[in-house]
Amino acid sequence: MTQGCGAISRRDVLKTSAAGAAIASSLGTGNVAMAQAEPSAPPTAAVRMKVNGKQTSLTLDTRTTLLDTLREHLKLTGTKKGCDHGQCGACTVIVNGRRINSCLTLAVMHEGDEVTTIEGLGSVGDLHPMQAAFVEHDGYQCGYCTPGQICSAVAVLEEIRAGIPSHVTEDIGAAPGMTTLEMRERMSGNICRCGAYSNIAEAMAQVAGVKA
């Protein structure tokens, strides 16, 4: 059977389909190649800080947290990674005398700062008074939160001595008292999954020289 003028044959349709498939295939291959291309290197920065009394210089991805810097780069694994959202306090360290959640801050923000971790407070045979009090009063059970608890406890006593008020300070114009109420309120951001809170309070009271 003959075809009229302008009619498209079955052979023409097949040719067109094959050409379209070839083009689509080549485009797909190109997209895959682009996806598999080597990503650009992340931005880095030189960071210098004093950690546990020792001057340290590192070149870090600018997105690296202080917590990961301590654990992964300096191998100070006493500082624990808990919630990674600043809600449990397991990652608490002391920076320039003040306690912070190291998971919520970038290392590059601490150029020139002085950082103290649990390893810098004391060591076996030469415990910090707070570490010794935690041992004496069983202020830990599983021990996971303990480094953050101890760093926070040390800083809390210094906060009270410095006259920094808290939510339970009755008169913010006067120096807060070294009371268990003040200590408990300030330690509320450090969670103990084992529930050793009363023992922790006793340990802190002993170091502070007050009655729990």
Side-chain angles (χ1 to χ4, degrees), residues 69-173:
T69 298
L70 295 172
R71 289 182 57 82
E72 306 299 330
H73 295 270
L74 298 179
K75 306 306 178 185
L76 295 171
T77 54
T79 304
K80 296 297 186 285
K81 182 187 282 282
C83 67
D84 226 17
H85 286 78
Q87 297 176 343
C88 72
C91 68
T92 304
V93 297
I94 303 171
V95 177
N96 298 333
R98 299 182 63 179
R99 58 196 173 121
I100 68 167
N101 291 321
S102 60
C103 74
L104 293 183
T105 185
L106 299 175
V108 293
M109 299 168 64
H110 296 284
E111 171 70 24
D113 284 353
E114 186 167 348
V115 181
T116 302
T117 70
I118 189 67
E119 291 92 343
L121 285 179
S123 59
V124 177
D126 185 25
L127 296 178
H128 184 281
M130 190 66 73
Q131 291 173 311
F134 265 64
V135 173
E136 182 177 342
H137 292 277
D138 293 325
Y140 59 90
Q141 288 187 34
C142 76
Y144 194 85
C145 74
T146 306
Q149 295 275 5
I150 291 176
C151 285
S152 193
V154 169
V156 159
L157 299 189
E158 292 304 316
E159 288 173 13
I160 298 174
R161 294 188 184 106
I164 300 173
S166 75
H167 288 294
V168 298
T169 304
E170 294 183 2
D171 182 2
I172 62 173

Side-chain angles (χ1 to χ4, degrees), residues 24-65:
S25 177
S26 65
L27 290 175
T29 303
N31 290 336
V32 171
M34 291 176 64
Q36 293 178 343
E38 189 70 25
S40 59
T44 60
V47 182
R48 293 170 298 174
M49 62 181 75
K50 184 178 287 187
V51 181
N52 297 333
K54 182 180 179 181
Q55 203 67 46
T56 304
S57 297
L58 297 167
T59 299
L60 301 169
D61 182 327
T62 55
R63 300 165 297 180
T64 307
T65 64

